[in-house]
Amino acid sequence: MSKVNTVLGTVPTEELGIVAIHEHIGYGMPGSELDTKWWKTPEQRYEETVPKLRQFHEYGGGTFVDATGICNGRDVDYYKSLSAKTGVHIVACTGFVGGDTALPHFARATVDYLTRQFVHEITVGIGDTGGRAGVIKVGVSRGGRMTDLDKRIYRAAARAALATGVPILTHLAIDAENAIAIFAEEGLPLDRVLFGHVDDGVNFDKTRDTWIAEQGGRVGFDTFGYETELEDPPFWARPRKERLDHFLRFIGQHLDKALASADANCSPLGWPGVKGHTVNYIFEDLFPDLRAAGVDEATITKLFVDNPAEFLTIRN
């Protein structure tokens, strides 16, 4: 039976439903809990988050993949409570957003140590929560080129993915050549990797999305909703139609390799977030935009049910 790790246990892949493949319950940089301006109490976070997840479920959403890495505010006991209260499957991750978010203990770690850390969180659990990670997060540090630490993390992630059967998703798809070389050296099939954020407004012209797909990798258009049309857009925003057109071109060639999400924060930690942007952009804006562009229901199901289910399935 095909299965996926969620924070409440292993579930059959067929139960995932519509998947938001790259989202955050709450993301913050290391140390953000010390920021008295933006830090929220557990009660405030819960009050902000539950309505968004309930709405996601009411719209037909089945699974929320939390791409918040180690050192960035993961709280698996909190995720378990949210999942039980809202009926949404939540998939937690191990790994790091990028080497530049790893605290010194991990930044000094060897590939073997990092591999053991990832494998433990996937097979035993994260901390003492009993909740097991269902995906491994890796990323390129600021600057656009993989650092030595990034490369150690990517190599450890590849080894952990091979040992456990869970997939890898990346923060940014830049410097994909180095990433693909590492995965090839470790013998990891590229269909186990989702190269993310190919559509953001900073890096879209630096990412080789078609080339990545041709090598066998999966490609994530997962910053939908971060639009220049917003009242106060973030620096990675992009015009709505431009991003949509980019996505439509890609799925016209590589539908099997495409996944999409909004990369929204239910309750951001240590920063104000982007007002009005939630995971429910997928249902409220993206689905209508796709339908208006002539995308049929079978293709939408392929993008948000079939492709993510195949990607998230544990292979061992």
Side-chain angles (χ1 to χ4, degrees), residues 146-221:
M146 292 174 68
T147 65
D148 287 343
L149 175 55
D150 292 335
K151 292 175 182 178
R152 295 205 308 275
I153 292 170
Y154 272 66
R155 193 171 298 280
R159 294 179 184 179
L162 286 167
T164 64
V166 307
I168 295 171
L169 59 80
T170 81
H171 172 73
L172 302 178
I174 53 178
D175 205 10
E177 296 84 355
N178 272 320
I180 288 173
I182 290 170
F183 295 141
E185 289 170 9
E186 296 296 332
L188 180 69
L190 281 184
D191 69 339
R192 302 309 289 150
V193 184
L194 173 59
F195 292 84
H197 300 342
V198 302
D199 57 324
D200 80 6
V202 176
N203 297 296
F204 72 91
D205 59 346
K206 305 180 187 70
T207 58
R208 301 169 63 188
D209 50 7
T210 299
W211 179 80
I212 291 169
E214 289 169 349
Q215 307 312 301
R218 299 179 188 269
V219 176
F221 286 73

Side-chain angles (χ1 to χ4, degrees), residues 55-289:
Q55 185 67 72
F56 177 74
H57 191 256
E58 289 170 6
Y59 279 138
T63 301
F64 183 110
V65 178
D66 181 81
T68 304
I70 300 168
C71 305
N72 290 121
R74 289 184 316 174
D75 187 339
V76 176
D77 281 332
Y78 176 47
Y79 299 173
K80 291 166 72 174
S81 174
L82 290 169
S83 182
K85 192 171 187 68
T86 64
V88 175
H89 295 303
I90 297 177
V91 176
C93 77
T94 186
F96 300 89
V97 172
D100 54 357
T101 72
L103 291 171
H105 172 77
F106 296 106
R108 292 190 290 263
T110 65
V111 171
D112 286 346
Y113 180 94
L114 292 169
T115 302
R116 292 196 301 272
Q117 173 79 17
F118 300 161
V119 169
H120 182 89
E121 294 198 335
I122 294 162
T123 60
V124 179
I126 296 170
D128 60 0
T129 67
R132 292 179 293 170
V135 68
I136 306 168
K137 181 74 175 285
V138 298
V140 178
S141 296
R142 286 160 182 76
R145 300 292 290 179
M146 292 174 68
T147 65
D148 287 343
L149 175 55
D150 292 335
K151 292 175 182 178
R152 295 205 308 275
I153 292 170
Y154 272 66
R155 193 171 298 280
R159 294 179 184 179
L162 286 167
T164 64
V166 307
I168 295 171
L169 59 80
T170 81
H171 172 73
L172 302 178
I174 53 178
D175 205 10
E177 296 84 355
N178 272 320
I180 288 173
I182 290 170
F183 295 141
E185 289 170 9
E186 296 296 332
L188 180 69
L190 281 184
D191 69 339
R192 302 309 289 150
V193 184
L194 173 59
F195 292 84
H197 300 342
V198 302
D199 57 324
D200 80 6
V202 176
N203 297 296
F204 72 91
D205 59 346
K206 305 180 187 70
T207 58
R208 301 169 63 188
D209 50 7
T210 299
W211 179 80
I212 291 169
E214 289 169 349
Q215 307 312 301
R218 299 179 188 269
V219 176
F221 286 73
D222 41 30
T223 61
F224 275 103
Y226 289 115
E227 300 164 348
T228 55
E229 292 88 344
L230 292 169
E231 181 179 343
D232 185 20
F235 68 85
W236 62 91
R238 191 177 178 191
R240 177 170 177 164
K241 186 176 186 303
E242 180 183 288
R243 176 185 283 104
L244 180 67
D245 288 346
H246 182 186
F247 185 53
L248 293 171
R249 288 193 303 272
F250 184 84
I251 64 174
Q253 297 177 292
H254 298 288
L255 177 60
D256 288 347
K257 300 296 186 184
L259 293 95
S261 212
D263 192 30
N265 270 275
C266 291
S267 183
L269 309 178
W271 66 295
V274 176
K275 185 177 180 181
H277 183 232
T278 78
V279 61
N280 294 312
Y281 183 96
I282 293 169
F283 293 99
E284 295 169 353
D285 294 273
L286 179 54
F287 282 9
D289 281 354

